[in-house]
């Protein structure tokens, strides 16, 4: 399913210095005018090209079980990842988020139910463990702590497990982490409804941790006694994924 996949960042690309015979070589008037024209065209068309590239990569990633499309750069800064070959689409008619486990009041929320609850907007950088970062990204949704309080968490609880409707991805937080004010069930991103390729219609958002903790296509919240390692933790990544203090990385914190 899910997330911004762990791995190593691509090496920084550097231009080679020009050879002496190439420096100062004159160019013709037509070439100069043509270059200026292309530059102006680029300024005018850049937003359209960016949206087209994002749309193309989003669609291609859905049909790419290898995940190789996630290695391509994306104008919006994000890269699309899934650990399954396809993910069903959910909307107002069929989406449900269940809250169960060690709670007194198991609940199933529709999107309308979630939208009717108090909403919190957060703006932080998004940091992927592969190295890319998207600064100042707004997320908006319901604080996870509000859903846990409404469910009535039992005294024996110590953690929360998250499952997703791709049928494969999972994540976990300690109960203390889950109750942080910067952990949301997000319904909006970048001030618009959360799209399918970004994990919509609802995803987990854990602001201070690497983005693989922010499980996409969220469908289940289960309160448990102990932390159960999630999809990427079973493959060697840290359970406590604080940005800059885990996975051997020293990125700047995101919150």
């Amino acid at each position: 399913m899910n997330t911004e996949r762990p791995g190593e960042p691509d090496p920084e690309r550097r231009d080679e210095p020009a050879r002496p015979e190439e420096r100062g070589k004159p160019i013709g008037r037509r070439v100069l005018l043509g270059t200026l024209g292309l530059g102006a065209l680029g300024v005018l068309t850049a937003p359209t090209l960016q949206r087209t590239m994002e749309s193309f990569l989003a669609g291609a990633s859905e049909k790419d079980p290898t995940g190789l499309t996630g290695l391509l750069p994306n104008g919006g800064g994000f890269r699309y990842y899934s650990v399954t070959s396809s993910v069903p689409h959910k909307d107002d008619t069929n989406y449900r988020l269940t809250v169960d486990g060690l709670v007194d009041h198991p609940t199933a929320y529709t999107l309308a139910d979630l939208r009717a609850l108090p909403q919190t907007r957060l703006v932080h950088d998004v940091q992927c463990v592969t190295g890319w970062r998207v600064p100042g990204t707004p997320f908006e949704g319901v604080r996870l702590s509000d859903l846990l309080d409404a469910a009535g968490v039992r005294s024996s609880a110590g953690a929360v497990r998250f499952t997703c409707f791709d049928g494969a991805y999972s994540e976990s937080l300690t109960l203390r982490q889950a109750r942080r004010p910067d952990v949301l069930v997000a319904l909006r991103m970048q001030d618009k409804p959360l799209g399918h390729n970004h994990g919509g219609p609802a995803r987990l958002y854990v602001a201070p941790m690497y983005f693989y903790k922010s499980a996409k296509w969220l469908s289940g919240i289960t309160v448990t006694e102990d932390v159960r390692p999630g999809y990427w933790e079973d493959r060697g990544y840290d359970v406590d994924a604080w940005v800059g203090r885990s996975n051997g990385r020293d990125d700047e914190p995101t919150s």
Side-chain angles (χ1 to χ4, degrees):
M1 165 220 99
N2 196 306
T3 179
E4 284 54 27
R5 183 172 52 207
E8 291 301 320
D10 295 331
E12 182 180 356
R13 180 179 177 180
R14 295 179 173 85
D15 293 330
E16 293 293 330
R19 293 191 296 271
E21 64 270 20
E22 292 176 339
R23 295 190 184 118
K25 185 177 180 179
I27 61 174
R29 180 173 179 272
R30 289 182 181 179
V31 174
L32 174 61
L33 293 177
T35 302
L36 293 174
L38 287 173
L41 180 63
V43 171
L44 293 174
T45 62
T48 300
L49 291 173
Q50 175 175 316
R51 289 192 296 270
T52 301
M53 177 61 75
E54 289 180 359
S55 177
F56 167 76
L57 289 175
S61 67
E62 289 184 27
K63 301 175 178 63
D64 177 19
T66 68
L68 293 177
T69 51
L71 300 178
L72 297 173
N74 182 335
F78 286 90
R79 298 179 185 181
Y80 302 96
Y81 300 114
S82 171
V83 300
T84 63
S85 59
S86 64
V87 181
H89 285 65
K90 301 281 187 179
D91 56 28
D92 292 79
T93 65
N94 59 3
Y95 178 78
R96 296 292 183 275
L97 174 63
T98 60
V99 181
D100 56 20
L102 298 176
V103 298
D104 295 327
H105 311 292
T107 309
Y109 291 92
T110 65
L111 282 175
D113 294 333
L114 293 171
R115 291 173 185 141
L117 295 172
Q119 305 291 299
T120 296
R121 186 176 185 269
L122 302 173
V123 182
H124 296 290
D125 293 357
V126 167
Q127 177 70 55
C128 182
V129 76
T130 60
W132 57 262
R133 189 181 187 103
V134 183
T137 304
F139 281 87
E140 186 174 351
V142 182
R143 280 183 172 151
L144 179 58
S145 59
D146 290 347
L147 298 181
L148 295 174
D149 289 343
V153 175
R154 295 176 184 170
S155 59
S156 57
V160 184
R161 176 174 171 81
F162 307 94
T163 50
C164 307
F165 62 79
D166 73 337
Y169 204 80
S170 63
E171 260 307 334
S172 287
L173 295 171
T174 67
L175 189 57
R176 183 175 181 180
Q177 292 166 353
R179 289 192 177 280
R180 286 178 58 104
D182 53 4
V183 177
L184 305 179
V185 172
L187 305 175
R188 295 174 62 83
M189 189 184 87
Q190 296 175 321
D191 297 318
K192 57 188 176 183
L194 194 63
H196 175 78
N197 292 291
H198 283 299
R203 73 177 295 164
L204 186 66
Y205 175 55
V206 186
M209 292 189 177
Y210 285 106
F211 211 32
Y212 66 87
K213 299 296 289 190
S214 296
K216 292 159 71 173
W217 306 301
L218 184 65
S219 61
I221 298 171
T222 301
V223 179
T224 60
E225 288 188 16
D226 302 305
V227 168
R228 302 177 188 176
Y231 183 91
W232 284 115
E233 288 86 354
D234 283 338
R235 289 156 177 79
Y237 281 78
D238 289 355
V239 174
D240 290 326
W242 305 106
V243 173
R245 292 186 283 131
S246 66
N247 293 292
R249 297 187 60 88
D250 59 357
D251 304 286
E252 288 294 321
T254 52
S255 65

